[in-house]
Amino acid sequence: DVLERNQRLTRGGINRQTTIVLAALRWAKARNHMPAAAYASCASMERLKRGETGNRPERGRARRAVSLQDVERVAACAHPHVAAMLRVQALTGMRPGEVRTMRWQDIDKAAVVVDGVAMWTYRVAGAKTEHHGHSTTYPLPPAVQKILEAMPPVLPSAHIFRADREDFRGGRRPRPHWERDSYRSEVAAACRKANVPYFSPHEVRHGAITRAAELHGVLAAQRLANHSNPQTTARYLHADDQAAYKVAAAIG
């Protein structure tokens, strides 16, 4: 009821937050922190269906796969660190948090040569799925290597994209790396300056994974994205209206 009274939430937003609460209750029930009957009563609650949210929007802005062209136009109008992070994301498919917290000590420069291309390997420290026993790695092609080498030299343990005092407006306290909200707001400002429809840093990842699937198939895109489940990868794929016709034309 509290969630539904928040008019800023869409139907999809309410359902997502309810799912998070139920997951926490399921965790508690499995560890005997709440009675099974109480959990069963909560778990019987159904998701809001279409038309049950009054005059509020059904869903928020649809995510999109950001093209390399839009990334480059926005990067040209952005802070140098933001421009570099956007380009790295577009070329590797990294999550925003993974690019923001890159350190030289996490990058293995021992070349992995594939089809004549020598690549480095970035092993993400404290990765999202590390607690499940999964390591998260990204190959870094020469174009990414060039971007990273253009950053001022730092200690191996320091973040490559350091949030120095001059990186922020309003004289805020410096941080060891760019924060999520700072990165997102800088991208939004650069989108306005470049006259490009707004996109979030996470949508740059959507674009990279979609391009990988188009070029090399969904299994390759799944590996690039560091997803253990192909259904997760499927949520990142965005096909335009001409995709089916392109396939039919190739078959025909």
Side-chain angles (χ1 to χ4, degrees):
D1 290 341
V2 171
L3 290 174
E4 287 193 56
R5 285 198 293 270
N6 184 349
Q7 292 298 313
R8 297 177 60 185
L9 289 174
T10 63
R11 178 175 64 92
I14 293 171
N15 284 340
R16 278 193 299 273
Q17 294 203 28
T18 303
T19 299
I20 292 170
V21 173
L22 289 176
L25 296 179
R26 184 168 59 250
W27 181 92
K29 190 264 294 185
R31 290 157 179 79
N32 297 318
H33 295 320
M34 70 178 299
Y39 171 76
S41 177
C42 295
S44 65
M45 182 174 60
E46 296 183 355
R47 294 165 62 88
L48 288 175
K49 298 180 177 60
R50 186 175 295 277
E52 291 184 341
T53 56
N55 58 0
R56 77 175 71 231
E58 289 286 328
R59 292 193 177 276
R61 181 184 63 86
R63 286 180 172 175
R64 64 186 178 99
V66 184
S67 68
L68 287 172
Q69 293 78 10
D70 278 355
V71 167
E72 194 54 43
R73 288 171 60 192
V74 171
C77 297
H79 182 284
H81 282 189
V82 173
M85 289 189 288
L86 285 174
R87 289 173 176 135
V88 169
Q89 274 196 269
L91 292 167
T92 63
M94 288 183 200
R95 298 176 177 91
E98 293 167 341
V99 72
R100 288 188 296 104
T101 57
M102 291 184 81
R103 302 175 299 179
W104 282 112
Q105 69 181 25
D106 301 322
I107 296 175
D108 184 355
K109 292 187 178 182
V112 177
V113 181
V114 178
D115 296 333
V117 179
M119 289 172 283
W120 298 344
T121 303
Y122 171 39
R123 292 182 172 84
V124 180
K128 182 178 179 181
T129 57
E130 194 174 79
H131 62 290
H132 291 303
H134 301 150
S135 62
T136 298
T137 62
Y138 292 94
L140 305 180
V144 173
Q145 297 170 24
K146 185 177 180 180
I147 293 170
L148 296 179
E149 288 178 329
M151 294 294 105
V154 294
L155 293 173
S157 60
H159 294 93
I160 295 175
F161 303 106
R162 303 185 312 284
D164 295 329
R165 187 177 301 277
E166 63 268 19
D167 291 340
F168 295 97
R169 301 188 179 96
R172 284 181 286 172
R173 188 160 54 92
R175 295 288 190 269
H177 59 75
W178 281 76
E179 295 181 331
R180 180 185 62 181
D181 291 343
S182 299
Y183 184 27
R184 184 188 299 156
S185 64
E186 289 287 338
V187 170
C191 284
R192 291 192 295 270
K193 189 181 296 184
N195 197 26
V196 169
Y198 168 77
F199 61 79
S200 69
H202 200 72
E203 287 172 290
V204 179
R205 175 171 161 86
H206 280 243
I209 296 172
T210 296
R211 286 189 294 277
E214 290 173 345
L215 291 171
H216 303 289
V218 175
L219 289 179
Q222 177 187 344
R223 182 61 192 88
L224 179 73
N226 287 278
H227 289 152
S228 58
N229 190 330
Q231 293 181 348
T232 303
T233 307
R235 296 200 294 269
Y236 283 75
L237 305 182
H238 303 259
D240 59 31
D241 293 339
Q242 295 296 312
Y245 291 94
K246 292 176 183 176
V247 173
I251 293 173

